[in-house]
Amino acid sequence: MKAQKALNTMSESQIKALLESRRLPDDARVIMSGNQAVPWRLLHLLDETLPTYRLSGLNAPQGLPRRDGVTYETSFVGAGMRGSARLVYIPARLSMVPILFGTTRKPEVLLIHTSTPRNGKVSLGVEVNILPAAIEACRKGGGLIIAQMNRQMPYTFGDGEYDTDIFDAILEVDEPLPTPPARTGQAPDAAQSAMKIGERVSSRVQNGATMQLGIGEVPDAVLQGLTGLKNLGVWSEMFSDGVLSLLHAGALDPDRKIISSFAFGSEELYRWMDGNDQIRMLRTETTNAPTEISKQPGMTSVNTALQVDLFAQANASRINARIFSGFGGQTDFIVGALHAPGGQAIMALRSWHPKAQVSTIVPILREPTTSFQPTAVITEQGTAEILGYDEKRQAAMLIEHAAHPNAREFLWYEARKLGLT
């Protein structure tokens, strides 16, 4: 039996003393577990210790320190950084972000959220993502790696398993992970439009296909239509409770591993993930590599956008030229799915923006393009086939089948001006 390694556990005061003793440079780059796996206790300790630093994390939630001296850095903007005057946005496909840690964005400190040890190792649990590359870069550069070791973080297999001796310090906690809030106050027409989109998308999926799964109203509606299928695979940047729905319905292929790089969902999902050999949480360079995505049979990528124009260009990143999110995995999965055997890349969105009261199908983008040329654009109005059709046919399909009726006359007028009729 292997001897259990001694853990380098420290108290909060000891960790603060460690941070002070390292004499970190002004504006030291601090990379943290992102999405819904932020190591909050460690982050607050660091914020109390360092007067200035650069905080880097993907899709960071609300609750980050907001004060002078803290600069945000990210390639995918979450609610915690969005709109900040101190935000530094680094455009990059998600598959390319890990490369930056060895070039222009070298880390000095890494704050990560882990499970407790099993057989001498801990797991990054629900958030592997870009962290393996950050760990490698931080170790190579002599940086500081601190773990928040949580009894309630599930142990997952894959690229996020590490010997405990890589950590300079460990803070032990016992805290529940965040779960998605319940949806309330949804308008009936919004729910109905999501259901229509979901039905149209799921009707295009065949038995044995591989799915990229997301979280939200439209992905949930798509999943409802997939429960009657068989032998589905999952190769996705992330997943949520929808995987459980497919599992309980018998729609998943039991002989295929569920591949992802991060997860966010209910306590039931986290319990199911814990020690589950069917799940492999891999680094972003693998999950988001178009070459790997293209190997998956019937790869079906479902993404959304803020706007799609008559040239089938999508803006999913910016509003009034200001960054709202980022490329994320959209570009990676669209390219990978288009090259997969029997693959398809679907752009799914509502035809009318309920808050702004404007059409989401526009003549031509006035914002930077996030992606272009999906297989099809699907709204609650219908399906516009894109791939393989000439530009005039694409525009006509978008106007007649995807656009809201209230926008069609204007779109036809603009299409003529653009030479698309």
Side-chain angles (χ1 to χ4, degrees):
M1 183 175 179
K2 183 186 277 189
Q4 184 71 37
K5 296 178 181 179
L7 300 180
N8 190 17
T9 56
M10 293 187 181
S11 66
E12 293 188 357
S13 60
Q14 288 175 319
I15 289 175
K16 291 177 73 172
L18 174 64
L19 287 165
E20 290 171 344
S21 70
R22 292 301 287 258
R23 300 185 183 278
L24 294 163
D26 291 340
D27 284 344
R29 179 167 291 107
V30 178
I31 297 175
M32 66 176 184
S33 302
N35 288 291
Q36 296 297 328
V38 174
W40 290 108
R41 295 271 293 278
L42 288 181
L43 179 57
H44 293 320
L45 287 176
L46 180 133
D47 187 61
E48 292 169 2
T49 308
L50 301 185
T52 62
Y53 60 95
R54 305 177 77 84
L55 183 61
S56 177
L58 291 182
N59 195 29
Q62 292 181 339
L64 302 183
R66 280 185 175 262
R67 63 169 176 82
D68 291 339
V70 181
T71 300
Y72 299 146
E73 275 188 355
T74 191
S75 290
F76 195 88
V77 183
M81 296 183 179
R82 188 171 295 133
S84 171
R86 298 186 300 276
L87 171 63
V88 177
Y89 171 63
I90 303 103
R93 293 183 179 191
L94 197 53
S95 62
M96 301 299 292
V97 171
I99 295 174
L100 306 182
F101 298 142
T103 55
T104 61
R105 305 287 159 179
K106 296 180 179 180
E108 276 89 26
V109 181
L110 181 56
L111 306 180
I112 59 176
H113 203 162
T114 78
S115 72
T116 52
R118 297 188 189 178
N119 299 317
K121 291 188 175 185
V122 296
S123 167
L124 299 180
V126 301
E127 177 80 4
V128 173
N129 217 330
I130 60 173
L131 295 175
I135 289 171
E136 291 161 8
C138 203
R139 294 185 75 186
K140 183 177 180 180
L144 194 61
I145 305 178
I146 307 176
Q148 178 175 298
M149 187 179 289
N150 189 352
R151 292 181 181 274
Q152 299 190 49
M153 173 68 78
Y155 193 105
T156 59
F157 301 111
D159 291 337
E161 297 178 89
Y162 287 94
D163 289 331
T164 56
D165 56 10
I166 73 163
F167 305 118
D168 296 284
I170 294 170
L171 180 69
E172 294 184 292
V173 303
D174 186 359
E175 299 173 352
L177 299 178
T179 56
R183 291 197 189 104
T184 57
Q186 185 186 40
D189 57 340
Q192 186 177 24
S193 64
M195 189 60 62
K196 287 181 179 179
I197 295 169
E199 290 172 353
R200 289 193 170 96
V201 173
S202 60
S203 69
R204 301 171 66 97
V205 182
Q206 304 296 318
N207 290 331
T210 309
M211 299 301 302
Q212 174 200 359
L213 300 170
I215 185 172
E217 200 175 16
V218 171
D220 286 350
V222 173
L223 285 163
Q224 290 185 37
L226 300 178
T227 54
L229 297 178
K230 298 294 182 183
N231 297 320
L232 295 178
V234 175
W235 185 288
S236 188
E237 177 182 297
M238 70 87 62
F239 66 84
S240 187
D241 286 72
V243 169
L244 289 180
S245 300
L246 296 179
L247 177 72
H248 297 328
L252 291 179
D253 185 341
D255 296 325
R256 297 168 69 181
K257 300 292 186 185
I258 294 167
I259 304 297
S260 188
S261 70
F262 69 97
F264 177 46
S266 65
E267 292 180 5
E268 180 188 3
L269 180 75
Y270 299 145
R271 287 193 298 269
W272 173 73
M273 292 177 67
D274 188 36
N276 190 335
D277 188 56
Q278 190 178 1
I279 301 168
R280 286 294 181 273
M281 302 296 283
L282 304 183
R283 56 198 298 157
T284 296
E285 301 96 309
T286 301
T287 60
N288 284 51
T291 52
E292 295 298 324
I293 297 167
S294 68
K295 297 175 184 177
Q296 310 312 311
M299 184 71 221
T300 302
S301 169
V302 183
N303 286 282
T304 192
L306 299 166
Q307 297 171 314
V308 174
D309 72 10
L310 296 182
F311 294 96
Q313 301 177 116
N315 163 35
S317 304
R318 293 180 183 268
I319 298 175
N320 295 326
R322 299 294 185 266
I323 190 65
F324 181 79
S325 55
F327 293 115
Q330 184 168 127
T331 52
D332 296 324
F333 273 90
I334 285 179
V335 171
L338 288 173
H339 287 271
Q344 54 182 331
I346 307 300
M347 191 63 66
L349 71 163
R350 289 189 175 89
S351 67
W352 195 262
H353 195 291
K355 291 184 179 179
Q357 287 298 301
V358 294
S359 172
T360 60
I361 309 298
V362 298
I364 188 168
L365 291 185
R366 301 188 185 281
E367 309 284 352
T369 301
T370 305
S371 61
F372 63 94
Q373 201 183 39
T375 305
V377 175
I378 297 178
T379 73
E380 79 283 2
Q381 302 298 327
T383 299
E385 300 291 347
I386 300 298
L387 187 64
Y389 293 92
D390 66 70
E391 62 178 358
K392 293 182 179 180
R393 178 63 174 162
Q394 288 179 2
M397 292 285 283
L398 283 163
I399 296 170
E400 291 300 317
H401 296 283
H404 194 278
N406 291 350
R408 289 175 186 169
E409 183 178 351
F410 167 73
L411 289 172
W412 275 121
Y413 172 77
E414 292 295 319
R416 286 190 286 272
K417 290 168 60 178
L418 293 169
L420 292 175
T421 59

